[in-house]
Amino acid sequence: MKRLGIFGCILLIAGLCGCALVPAPKPAPLPPEPEPAPVPVVVVPQGTAKELFKAGVDALQHGDGVKARPLLQQVLVLEPSHKNAASLLLQIDANPVEMLGKEYFPYKVQPGDTLSLIARRFLGDHFKFYILARYNDIIISDNLEAGRSIKIPGKKPPPSKVTAPIPVEQADTSDISNLRLAEAKKLYSDGRFTDSINTLEHIESEGGGNPEVSDFLITVYVAYAKKLTGSGRFAEADKLLSKALNTYPGNERLRKQSDQIGVYRNAEQTYAEGNQWQSSGQLTKAYVAYANTLKLEPDHAGAKAALARIKPQVVEAYYADSVRARRRQNFTEAIDSLDRLLEIDPNHELAKSNRAEIKAILEREQSGPRRK
């Protein structure tokens, strides 16, 4: 028993020593500190309140609310009382149905209509064009086709109230003019000259005209007159420019374009004569008519094409005329035909050599009598 006690003590001491040799567990590593979130870079739009507002309206007309938002916000920083900027900002996020109501009536878009005009007519504010566009799921608000049916919120007003004037305090004339001018420029770039003219004339009739509006209106008048003239619609072009000159009687661009209508009309008449000569087989006369057409209107595509097409036949015809005249001993007529040929084709070697031969014959005939 004594031995067992001693042996047990030894085992207990060995066990305690063994426990002492086991290493203590390492403490868990501390989690890394999170990296600071990057500070977003805020780009503040630069420009005057007027410039920024104009850019914001342009962005909304193209359906880009994301681009318009910071522009309009900066307008309010510069001019906190800018009601139109505040109104447009509200329209970017507002629910169109909640803002304008569920009740609506259909409206057929008329030529020259824009959403700002329609918003002014039925909602009393040009600058509700954007919420009206969203109400109708229209993305690009300044591209409104005539004949399209859109929804106008509210009850249909009686005709007498549709064009009621807006109270002065609800609209900024300068802002409205800029908005309408931007619409007119977009219509012009799309080739919708009549709609652009109607929009610009409305600006001036409503008292929003300025030198920029007048200058651009003249530009559209001239461009549309050129288009009408180019398609042979001379009476329409003349009527358009007569109206324009009544408004701007001293404008040089309008006067020159009006004078040019007569030139184009004569060119078309001469071109038609050329076509008649060509149809009857008289190509030399047709060539002369086409050449005269180009003298009046150098860019006349029809006359250019016709000349290129009949030139080889005309050259051949003039050469044949010169040969027949030479056989008849009519040297003057032969030289005349060769001269006409060389006007068309100065490098025609056979014509040049024949002309030189005939000229020599004439010189010998003229010098012969003097020797006698």
Side-chain angles (χ1 to χ4, degrees):
M1 291 296 291
K2 188 176 181 180
R3 291 179 180 177
L4 288 174
I6 295 171
F7 184 70
C9 291
I10 294 171
L11 288 176
L12 178 62
I13 293 169
L16 291 172
C17 292
C19 291
L21 295 175
V22 176
K26 295 181 179 179
L30 296 174
E33 295 184 4
E35 294 183 4
V39 178
V41 178
V42 179
V43 178
V44 178
Q46 300 298 311
T48 65
K50 182 178 179 180
E51 293 168 344
L52 294 171
F53 181 74
K54 194 173 182 180
V57 169
D58 183 66
L60 290 180
Q61 286 179 323
H62 290 80
D64 195 344
V66 174
K67 180 180 178 181
R69 188 193 308 278
L71 295 167
L72 297 172
Q73 288 172 340
Q74 185 62 18
V75 172
L76 291 175
V77 171
L78 298 172
E79 289 187 19
S81 61
H82 200 297
K83 294 180 180 180
N84 294 325
S87 172
L88 289 172
L89 267 176
L90 177 63
Q91 295 175 47
I92 294 175
D93 297 316
N95 183 302
V97 176
E98 291 180 1
M99 185 172 181
L100 300 178
K102 293 181 180 180
E103 185 178 7
Y104 67 88
F105 61 92
Y107 172 75
K108 186 177 181 181
V109 177
Q110 302 300 309
D113 270 346
T114 62
L115 278 180
S116 67
L117 263 183
I118 296 171
R120 184 255 186 208
R121 192 179 307 150
F122 294 108
L123 305 180
D125 184 356
H126 287 88
F127 292 99
K128 286 187 177 178
F129 73 89
Y130 186 64
I131 197 70
L132 184 59
R134 294 182 60 210
Y135 193 81
N136 285 276
D137 296 321
I138 296 173
I139 297 176
I140 301 179
S141 63
D142 60 354
N143 188 13
L144 196 63
E145 307 86 0
R148 174 177 180 171
S149 180
I150 65 172
K151 299 181 296 183
I152 305 296
K155 293 182 179 180
K156 187 173 183 178
S160 60
K161 293 186 178 181
V162 170
T163 56
I166 317 170
V168 175
E169 65 272 15
Q170 292 185 12
D172 184 311
T173 304
S174 175
D175 286 347
I176 292 171
S177 296
N178 289 334
L179 170 64
R180 304 297 307 288
L181 179 59
E183 291 173 352
K185 289 182 177 180
K186 179 63 168 57
L187 292 168
Y188 171 74
S189 67
D190 291 342
R192 297 167 60 183
F193 298 114
T194 302
D195 291 342
S196 181
I197 288 171
N198 288 339
T199 301
L200 293 164
E201 289 178 344
H202 279 147
I203 295 174
E204 296 203 326
S205 67
E206 293 173 356
N210 56 50
E212 185 180 6
V213 171
S214 298
D215 185 67
F216 188 67
L217 178 55
I218 291 169
T219 296
V220 183
Y221 278 139
V222 171
Y224 191 32
K226 285 182 178 179
K227 180 181 179 181
L228 292 171
T229 302
S231 58
R233 297 157 65 183
F234 301 112
E236 292 179 58
D238 201 20
K239 183 178 179 181
L240 175 71
L241 290 173
S242 295
K243 182 183 79 169
L245 283 167
N246 284 335
T247 307
Y248 305 102
N251 188 266
E252 189 67 14
R253 284 194 290 162
L254 292 172
R255 188 191 61 76
K256 284 184 177 180
Q257 189 60 36
S258 182
D259 293 342
Q260 196 65 25
I261 292 177
V263 175
Y264 286 137
R265 186 183 282 112
N266 292 337
E268 285 301 318
Q269 184 177 352
T270 306
Y271 176 66
E273 291 173 359
N275 289 338
Q276 290 175 354
W277 288 123
Q278 184 178 355
S279 298
S280 63
Q282 301 189 59
L283 298 184
T284 55
K285 291 183 178 180
Y287 194 94
V288 171
Y290 292 140
N292 288 335
T293 301
L294 290 178
K295 289 178 182 178
L296 294 169
E297 188 181 345
D299 295 326
H300 197 293
K304 286 182 178 180
L307 283 177
R309 186 170 56 252
I310 68 174
K311 177 180 175 179
Q313 297 166 272
V314 174
V315 167
E316 184 178 343
Y318 277 134
Y319 187 76
D321 288 345
S322 72
V323 171
R324 285 191 291 269
R326 183 172 181 177
R327 287 174 181 170
R328 298 194 308 269
Q329 300 294 303
N330 191 337
F331 299 121
T332 302
E333 182 181 331
I335 286 183
D336 181 66
S337 295
L338 290 171
D339 285 343
R340 292 176 184 272
L341 185 159
L342 290 169
E343 284 181 10
I344 301 171
D345 185 2
N347 297 320
H348 197 289
E349 296 298 331
L350 194 56
K352 288 193 287 187
S353 64
N354 281 349
R355 188 183 188 285
E357 290 175 5
I358 296 172
K359 200 71 175 173
I361 292 172
L362 290 174
E363 288 175 358
R364 285 197 299 270
E365 289 181 351
Q366 289 174 359
S367 62
R370 286 198 296 269
R371 290 178 181 175
K372 290 179 180 179

